[in-house]
């Protein structure tokens, strides 16, 4: 499961994606709109800035904004930034590989073989889902919901 920190980060990034090209957003406004504790949000946004996902501007008209267009920021990048590798076990990690102590034959280990498939599937989904894709999916779901309400008797 993803941590609350990552969940808040994704909520904040979706909000910033919606506001892309409208200028920087104040942390206080973002915290209030998305109901994220402000001090916690400050730490999250700083981590995302250090990873090159966000940029900040100080002073009047300052705040945080996306460093790149929403189409260029993947969910995978964000989750790896805050959670670390996607791999469920260290022996299948591409960025933090470690051999499992209890494993006699890593290459024929059934757990490793299945967990590699899990890692690959997760990476494919998360790396192909951009923030822009998430916004589109949100809009599609809202339209479905609104359409369903419109046609009910």
């Amino acid at each position: 499961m993803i941590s609350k920190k990552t969940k808040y980060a994704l909520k904040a990034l979706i909000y910033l994606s919606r506001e892309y090209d409208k200028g920087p957003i104040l942390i206080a406004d973002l915290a209030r709109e998305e109901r994220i504790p402000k001090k916690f949000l400050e730490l999250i946004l700083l981590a995302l800035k250090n990873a090159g996902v966000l940029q900040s501007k100080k002073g009047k008209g300052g705040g945080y904004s996306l460093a790149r267009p929403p189409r260029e920021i993947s969910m995978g990048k964000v989750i790896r930034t805050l959670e670390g590798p996607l791999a469920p076990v260290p022996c299948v990690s591409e960025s933090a590989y470690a051999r499992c102590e209890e494993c006699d034959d890593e290459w024929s280990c059934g757990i490793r073989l299945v967990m590699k498939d899990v890692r690959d599937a997760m990476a494919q989904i998360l790396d192909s889902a951009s923030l822009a894709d998430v916004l589109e999916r949100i809009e599609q779901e809202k339209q479905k919901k609104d359409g369903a309400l419109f046609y009910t008797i």
Side-chain angles (χ1 to χ4, degrees), residues 5 9 12-13 16 27 30 38-56 58 64 81-82:
K5 178 181 182 179
L13 290 170
L16 291 171
I27 292 177
L30 182 52
K38 185 178 177 225
K39 287 289 183 192
F40 196 26
L41 181 60
E42 288 172 356
L43 296 172
I44 293 166
L45 297 181
L46 183 59
L48 292 170
K49 178 185 174 193
N50 291 338
V53 174
L54 295 178
Q55 59 189 9
S56 65
K58 294 184 184 223
Y64 278 92
T81 296
L82 298 167

Side-chain angles (χ1 to χ4, degrees), residues 7-21:
K7 202 170 190 180
Y8 284 157
L10 292 169
K11 286 180 68 163
L13 290 170
I14 291 167
Y15 182 87
L16 291 171
S17 295
R18 222 181 266 117
E19 302 298 315
Y20 186 70
D21 282 340

Side-chain angles (χ1 to χ4, degrees), residues 101-114:
E101 292 176 20
E102 65 281 354
C103 193
D104 292 329
D105 182 7
E106 181 175 70
W107 299 107
S108 64
C109 174
I111 296 167
R112 183 188 155 286
L113 294 169
V114 172

Side-chain angles (χ1 to χ4, degrees), residues 58-79:
K58 294 184 184 223
K60 186 176 168 98
Y64 278 92
S65 59
L66 298 178
R68 296 185 314 274
R71 179 88 36 220
E72 296 177 15
I73 302 171
S74 75
M75 299 282 282
K77 164 79 171 162
V78 175
I79 292 172

Side-chain angles (χ1 to χ4, degrees), residues 125-141:
I125 292 166
L126 293 172
D127 291 338
S128 67
S130 71
L131 293 174
D133 295 329
V134 174
L135 287 178
E136 289 170 15
R137 288 183 73 175
I138 291 168
E139 203 49 47
Q140 288 171 356
E141 290 302 315

